[in-house]
Amino acid sequence: MSAERWHDTNSADLIGTRAERAQLFEHLVAATLRRQAISPAKNRIFDIDVTRDMGRHRDALLDAATPAELWYALNLLSNTRRDRHLQVEAVPGGIMPPADIEARKIRNYGALDTNGAPRLDIELATDFGGDRPRLFLAGMAPGLALPAGLEVGAFLTAVDGLPFADYVARIEPYHCYSTPTFFWYHLPHHIVRQGSELPAHSKQLRLSFETASGPVEIRLPYRDPQSFIPPKPTRYAGWSCLGEWESCRLHLAPGAAVIALEWLGFGPTLCADVDALMALCIAQNLLGHGLIFDASISRGGDYGGYLLRVLAKARFQINLGDLRRCDAIPGIIDEVLAEDDEALASGRLNQGQVAATGWRKRWLLEAVLPSLPEGGSTPAVPFKCAHQPMDGDGWLEPAETHFTGPMVMLTMPFGGSHIDQVAAQIADNRMCIAHIGMPLGGFSKTWVGTEILRLPSGQPIAAFQWSCGNTIRPNGEVLESNPAMPDRPYPVMRDNFTTHHAEMLDQACALLLGRD
């Protein structure tokens, strides 16, 4: 879609009339009430009330005069669910954000240096050490001239003339997240970039900081994103990297019988990577070493039970999952089975994954689909039938070859989804002697249902999503907005943000070596 069409006020063919948008609003509220899976923790944290929360943005939807305004109104409505997995997506023939908007979308916090959004020549970070999070100046481009007295560590107090709390209140509804900690952890990345989540940006930003000599204001222009690529923090300085795969890296501590499994994600090479990891550990006699499971920068994915079986020393309980019986389920079933058929045809699945496709198909078609008229949620079964059929007992045995030394887990609010699921299983089964750091992002579901929103004419608008099932932790709690909490909290702060990861490693080593 061209920029002219994006802002065209003569777009009734694409955005409908005010009356049609009012009907659309009522449909979205009703659909959310019957489709969205319910998380007690989320309801408690955010005081969720679907009708009230969506109602706050009713006028934005009804008053939309351009495709751009309707697009952002739909995003505001979507974000009221406080669910990181849900987003508004473009569909053929519907509202298509211009190429420059798409290029500025932050999709991967692990690859911010490849994002196309213009950015400021500074870095901000969040201090979690007080009674409320605060942002501070964490770095700057080489050669950037700052006013006298403004140094790294100065707290941010205002943005574009707005007190910082008021600024956050204005932009927060445009952000998609499942826990406040995740929002605050990543907020600095969004402030210094002209991302696509906000409907408008100025060419520069005014930032006010608190310094020893009083408030200082700077004006910075947004520049080409490649003009300043902050250096990535050094991780595992002094440690030896013994192996690296797509899923993980293995490090050996200097002068100590401690290894760290730096987990990166659960992609298609997971099983092969775990097999290679274990072969290396057998060859180098590492299985009995103290183990740090470092999930601080992990992405999501699936099939984490394959990893958990080599981390476990005893039989362990796995996550369960359910689906809310509603009108979105037939579409979910069609999509899941089509994805499984494609994966089977690709030949990339191992024996266990092939079995899972059969278990999943049986559950969805024989148990879920016929029971839809009953309403409510389905009984919880082993999560997505990935490791057991629907009548499995929800317990897995350790792999024949597994780690035998004590384990410490490290987490941060960098990511979530499947790593949230794995961390919850580790914590709830007490697989680790300590859990250090901050909670993960706290977003987890079974499957998402998608509907293409249309005008009465049949004209497509966009795709809107609902999380239609919950992940049930081994402790019996819903995981969404309820991540495993460290028993040794160690927040990142202004005074430790450059050394925080190394300090977590030091704490873990002390515990594993009996020095704590």
Side-chain angles (χ1 to χ4, degrees):
M1 179 176 288
S2 68
E4 291 76 17
R5 176 66 161 157
W6 181 241
H7 295 292
D8 187 2
T9 56
N10 296 308
S11 299
D13 60 313
L14 186 55
I15 69 173
T17 65
R18 183 180 177 86
E20 289 171 340
R21 292 192 296 276
Q23 292 175 357
L24 176 61
F25 173 80
E26 297 302 326
H27 169 70
L28 290 173
V29 172
T32 299
L33 287 169
R34 67 178 181 266
R35 294 174 182 172
Q36 186 73 16
I38 297 170
S39 163
K42 184 191 300 292
N43 289 354
R44 182 177 63 253
I45 294 169
F46 296 107
D47 186 27
I48 296 291
D49 181 313
V50 171
T51 304
R52 178 200 65 203
D53 298 343
M54 285 189 152
R56 289 172 177 152
H57 305 297
R58 181 178 183 272
D59 288 348
L61 189 78
L62 271 61
D63 293 343
T66 66
E69 290 178 3
L70 181 55
W71 178 264
Y72 283 106
L74 288 172
N75 276 272
L76 288 171
L77 289 167
S78 179
N79 291 344
T80 60
R81 278 88 55 80
R82 301 285 195 257
D83 189 328
R84 174 66 182 170
H85 273 120
L86 302 182
Q87 57 186 331
V88 177
E89 295 183 336
V91 297
I95 298 176
M96 303 290 288
D100 72 303
I101 300 289
E102 283 297 300
R104 292 192 277 114
K105 187 173 183 178
I106 297 177
R107 292 180 171 85
N108 182 359
Y109 289 118
L112 289 171
D113 55 353
T114 66
N115 182 264
R119 61 157 301 145
L120 307 179
D121 280 346
I122 61 168
E123 277 285 83
L124 300 172
T126 309
D127 182 316
F128 289 93
D131 57 355
R132 59 184 173 86
R134 299 185 70 185
L135 269 60
F136 62 93
L137 182 63
M140 65 200 75
L144 179 65
L146 294 177
L150 181 56
E151 300 176 348
V152 168
F155 282 118
L156 181 64
T157 58
V159 179
D160 275 343
L162 286 176
F164 187 59
D166 294 342
Y167 171 77
V168 172
R170 181 171 68 83
I171 67 168
E172 179 273 336
Y174 292 96
H175 289 266
C176 180
Y177 62 94
S178 293
T179 65
T181 302
F182 183 89
F183 168 74
W184 282 100
Y185 188 78
H186 290 292
L187 179 60
H189 305 313
H190 293 274
I191 292 179
V192 301
R193 290 172 175 81
Q194 280 186 327
S196 64
E197 68 278 356
L198 297 181
H201 290 275
S202 58
K203 293 183 178 181
Q204 63 179 7
L205 201 64
R206 285 190 295 139
L207 302 168
S208 297
F209 292 90
E210 173 187 294
T211 73
S213 57
V216 171
E217 182 178 279
I218 58 173
R219 295 173 181 260
L220 294 174
Y222 289 101
R223 302 178 59 206
D224 185 289
Q226 300 303 306
S227 65
F228 172 44
I229 299 178
K232 293 185 177 180
T234 301
R235 293 169 63 89
Y236 290 98
W239 292 57
S240 301
C241 185
L242 304 180
E244 182 171 0
W245 304 270
E246 184 177 330
S247 305
C248 58
R249 289 187 283 258
L250 184 68
H251 306 272
L252 177 66
V258 174
I259 53 175
L261 181 58
E262 184 183 21
W263 199 258
L264 305 176
F266 302 84
T269 65
L270 166 67
C271 296
D273 292 346
V274 170
D275 291 345
L277 164 72
M278 300 310 287
L280 185 150
C281 289
I282 291 170
Q284 298 198 23
N285 197 29
L286 301 173
L287 293 179
H289 278 41
L291 173 64
I292 300 171
F293 179 63
D294 183 355
S296 61
I297 58 169
S298 178
R299 304 179 302 273
D302 57 21
Y303 213 60
Y306 200 82
L307 167 66
L308 285 166
R309 292 188 66 218
V310 304
L311 298 179
K313 305 172 190 63
R315 191 167 182 256
F316 63 96
Q317 192 171 2
I318 61 176
N319 291 328
L320 304 179
D322 64 17
L323 278 170
R324 186 171 182 183
R325 297 184 182 102
C326 65
D327 56 339
I329 299 305
I332 289 175
I333 292 176
D334 289 344
E335 184 175 347
V336 170
L337 297 185
E339 289 174 352
D340 281 353
D341 286 344
E342 186 277 328
L344 286 168
S346 74
R348 67 174 183 264
L349 303 184
N350 64 25
Q351 185 176 356
Q353 291 168 311
V354 169
T357 64
W359 297 334
R360 194 155 39 241
K361 184 174 184 177
R362 179 181 167 220
W363 176 57
L364 292 172
L365 294 181
E366 298 180 14
V368 175
L369 194 59
S371 73
L372 291 184
E374 299 175 21
S377 293
T378 66
V381 301
F383 187 74
K384 292 187 176 181
C385 295
H387 300 284
Q388 289 183 351
M390 60 182 171
D391 53 359
D393 65 1
W395 291 80
L396 288 183
E397 300 288 339
E400 182 176 350
T401 301
H402 59 268
F403 292 103
T404 59
M407 181 170 69
V408 171
M409 179 165 63
L410 311 181
T411 62
M412 291 295 289
F414 175 84
S417 194
H418 201 54
I419 189 59
D420 259 315
Q421 297 160 16
V422 166
Q425 290 169 98
I426 290 173
D428 292 352
N429 284 284
R430 300 185 180 181
M431 291 186 190
C432 54
I433 62 171
H435 177 185
I436 300 172
M438 297 175 64
L440 285 156
F443 43 101
S444 178
K445 44 77 182 163
T446 47
W447 284 290
V448 164
T450 302
E451 177 188 346
I452 297 178
L453 305 179
R454 298 180 183 273
L455 297 176
S457 65
Q459 166 66 42
I461 302 172
F464 203 88
Q465 300 179 329
W466 291 265
S467 284
C468 296
N470 278 321
T471 306
I472 313 299
R473 293 172 50 168
N475 67 4
E477 298 175 357
V478 171
L479 178 50
E480 174 66 24
S481 299
N482 183 31
M485 301 301 290
D487 53 27
R488 289 178 174 253
Y490 197 64
V492 64
M493 299 180 288
R494 176 176 65 171
D495 296 337
N496 70 6
F497 79 102
T498 60
T499 58
H500 181 261
H501 183 258
E503 291 170 7
M504 288 198 299
L505 289 177
D506 289 345
Q507 291 182 40
C509 286
L511 287 164
L512 293 169
L513 298 172
R515 295 198 300 257
D516 187 276

